[in-house]
Amino acid sequence: MPEPFDWDILHRPSAMAMVRGQLGFSWMVLSGRLAQLTDDQYFWRPSSEALTVVRRHYTGRFRSLGSGEWVAQWPDEPDHRGPRTIAWLIAHLTETFFERWEWTFGASQQGRADINLHGNARDAVAWLTHWVEAWQDAIADLDEEQVMTIGLSQATELDAGEPFGHVVLRLNRELIHHGSEIMTLQDLYAVAA
């Protein structure tokens, strides 16, 4: 069951409270939908070319992302526009939140390639939930000055060169963007099945 949204945050007059509220509300909506995710929905391919999560030896023409038996197919081109499965979208969100947390609040040793991915919806959603909540908890403890610190996150070259608040906003956009894709795929699956 998703955590209830902290409606009181809407009455706190700070930029970071607004950013945290956006993340919290977006995660509440998405996690509510993910709570009902089935393995069939998780792996459903809107086309035969859809990127997905596969066992390591089935990556095909794609690179693999992940350290375990299950990996995400990763395209060579950064602006790949092909369709993706819910499994792929959850893997991408998980590695994004994991890497940012690791290189901002963690030991700064592991990167996105070190993430452990899952071959079923329940474990994948639990792992995404773990990293989104770890990120939420960590940014909740920051004061306004820390939010403006350039290079607080060292996850990427872009992160290292900008105020941390921009990193937080970018992760909010990732969650909203890919969360919308996940919910759309769930809706399409319902009418296609």
Side-chain angles (χ1 to χ4, degrees):
M1 191 74 185
E3 290 288 317
F5 181 69
D6 177 12
W7 291 100
D8 191 49
I9 202 165
L10 301 178
H11 304 290
R12 296 185 199 138
S14 77
M16 196 57 189
M18 289 185 276
V19 169
R20 287 178 44 228
Q22 181 186 52
L23 174 61
F25 187 81
S26 300
W27 176 241
M28 180 190 72
V29 171
L30 177 58
S31 63
R33 290 285 296 265
L34 291 176
Q36 304 303 317
L37 186 67
T38 67
D39 286 347
D40 286 343
Q41 290 174 328
Y42 180 68
F43 282 118
W44 180 68
R45 291 184 137 172
S47 89
S48 61
E49 295 296 310
L51 296 173
T52 192
V53 171
V54 296
R55 292 187 192 276
R56 180 171 295 283
H57 54 284
Y58 290 117
T59 56
R61 63 185 168 93
F62 299 106
R63 295 178 294 137
S64 62
L65 176 81
S67 62
E69 175 186 2
W70 290 90
V71 296
Q73 295 173 314
W74 208 260
D76 289 324
E77 60 276 10
D79 59 348
H80 183 270
R81 297 285 182 230
R84 287 113 17 140
T85 63
I86 292 174
W88 191 94
L89 292 163
I90 289 174
H92 174 54
L93 284 171
T94 302
E95 60 89 4
T96 298
F97 279 92
F98 159 73
E99 184 177 51
R100 288 321 189 291
W101 183 91
E102 170 72 10
W103 285 86
T104 309
F105 307 106
S108 301
Q109 294 176 351
Q110 295 186 309
R112 61 196 301 188
D114 299 310
I115 191 74
N116 193 21
L117 302 177
H118 301 280
N120 66 75
R122 186 195 70 227
D123 292 339
V125 169
W127 200 222
L128 173 60
T129 300
H130 171 80
W131 289 112
V132 170
E133 290 178 355
W135 178 255
Q136 285 180 306
D137 291 346
I139 67 171
D141 291 337
L142 296 177
D143 61 37
E144 298 292 321
E145 187 176 312
Q146 290 171 304
V147 171
M148 297 309 294
T149 301
I150 295 174
L152 183 62
S153 174
Q154 296 291 312
T156 68
E157 194 174 310
L158 179 61
D159 291 6
E162 65 186 0
F164 183 65
H166 288 284
V167 176
V168 177
L169 285 170
R170 194 165 53 258
L171 263 64
N172 285 8
R173 287 191 307 268
E174 285 285 301
L175 185 74
I176 293 166
H177 170 194
H178 295 307
S180 296
E181 288 180 283
I182 288 168
M183 291 186 286
T184 299
L185 285 169
Q186 283 180 303
D187 294 343
L188 290 173
Y189 173 86
V191 297

